[in-house]
Amino acid sequence: IPARATIKLQKDEDDNADYYVVDLVDLEQVAPPKAMPPDFLSISECGATPDDVSEDGGAIYDCIFQARAAVKGLWIPPGTFEINRMTPDVRGLSVAELTIQGAGMWYSTLHGPFARFYCTGSNCRFSDFAILGETTVRDDKIPDNGFNGGAGSGSRMENVWVEHTKAGWWIGQGNSNVTNGLVVRGSRFRNLFADGVNFCNGTSNSVVEQSHFRNTGDDAVASWAPSFDGGVNSNNVFRFNTVQLPWRANCFAIYGGKDNRIEDNLCADVVTYPGILIAQQFDAWPFSGTTTVQRNSLIRAGGPMWNQEHGALKIHAAEGALQGIVVKDLLIDSPTFAGIQIQGPNQ
């Protein structure tokens, strides 16, 4: 569709509903499907079949081990592959030291309530496919996130679409696989019951960039360093992301940690919480070094929750004093309540 073209939405004579609601129209140029690179093993070679009702989880599970043994990547061809039953690992399809690639997020799809991965080591590399889950309620006792687990070192997610799961990627659960240097880039996170991406349990030197988040049920992008589980999150950055309509919690949040940054992002139409929250909260390690919030746009941010009126940018000293917080060059447009809010017994 060329620049300045006109898009027409048309009601035809045989469209007989009383009314129609056009909620959203997304338009973009979609590249042709990618071809399988050399030295990859296709899940079709292991028995997975696209675009039918057959169960593909077992075949994909076996194919992961075959690809690793052959020192190959794992290829997801075009089509939709169903994962409706639990694989032998209850957490999901376990991955380490493996590249998993598809033909593109518009073409290669893993679908079903157990369409999820668990990173068990380093070099978990995902690109160019979609996960469409079937999560219908948030239950934090089960790992029904698109991606789970600490990412070790050398891990990447690029051009991946995650929708209808609990979280997109909850990173860094436990102490056995601390995340260092993870890159999440060019990905989409839509219609979730919890966070889009949560850096947790000592995640450091990692980045979320050039990604899009819409309708998340908790923080779209967060760094949380809980003192009761894991180390201090340090030197992480969230940059050049777009977040729209988080239906619960914030566009961006940092809970404790050292030298973390939120830069050059767009946050729009927050329903219940701040657009950006910097908080000593949830038993996080104290803030240290310099936490930087700069060059972000907060459009119609802030909202009512827990009998409070939250500002577009909120700094919350709930469980201790904050130090080293630098905020500059923000655009705050049409906040629901305050533009900037500082709150807490330790401010």
Side-chain angles (χ1 to χ4, degrees), residues 16-162:
N16 298 317
D18 292 336
Y19 61 91
Y20 296 87
V21 175
V22 179
D23 180 74
L24 174 72
V25 176
D26 274 337
L27 304 172
E28 67 178 276
Q29 296 284 358
V30 177
K34 296 183 177 182
M36 185 174 74
D39 297 321
F40 269 66
L41 175 67
S42 173
I43 60 174
S44 296
E45 298 178 58
C46 301
T49 56
D51 303 323
D52 58 22
V53 297
S54 65
E55 172 60 34
D56 299 303
I60 297 172
Y61 182 85
D62 292 340
C63 220
I64 288 172
F65 289 94
Q66 292 182 38
R68 287 192 62 187
V71 196
K72 292 184 175 182
L74 187 68
W75 174 252
I76 304 174
T80 299
F81 297 86
E82 301 294 334
I83 307 178
N84 295 305
R85 294 197 296 269
M86 187 183 301
T87 59
D89 189 339
V90 65
R91 301 170 299 181
L93 297 164
S94 297
V95 174
E97 304 295 338
L98 182 65
T99 297
I100 300 178
Q101 183 182 339
M105 64 171 67
W106 296 102
Y107 303 106
S108 300
T109 301
L110 304 181
H111 170 257
F114 295 98
R116 60 194 188 214
F117 288 95
Y118 197 98
C119 184
T120 60
S122 294
N123 293 310
C124 300
R125 297 178 294 272
F126 308 100
S127 64
D128 299 301
F129 64 91
I131 286 182
L132 303 183
E134 289 289 348
T135 298
T136 58
V137 66
R138 177 170 176 168
D139 183 351
D140 289 342
K141 296 179 181 179
I142 59 176
D144 57 338
N145 307 308
F147 297 83
N148 300 271
S153 60
S155 294
R156 299 176 69 87
M157 171 192 282
E158 193 162 8
N159 301 324
V160 173
W161 186 300
V162 186

Side-chain angles (χ1 to χ4, degrees), residues 115 131-140 144-147 157 160-170 187-198 212-221 243-249:
I131 286 182
L132 303 183
E134 289 289 348
T135 298
T136 58
V137 66
R138 177 170 176 168
D139 183 351
D140 289 342
D144 57 338
N145 307 308
F147 297 83
M157 171 192 282
V160 173
W161 186 300
V162 186
E163 187 163 1
H164 293 148
T165 63
K166 182 174 63 181
W169 193 342
W170 188 278
S187 295
R188 319 281 181 91
F189 301 87
R190 305 280 177 84
N191 303 319
L192 307 174
F193 275 87
D195 304 63
V197 176
N198 191 307
H212 189 275
F213 302 77
R214 181 189 293 141
N215 205 35
T216 59
D218 213 313
D219 299 324
V221 192
V243 179
Q244 297 171 294
L245 281 168
W247 60 268
R248 190 164 187 258

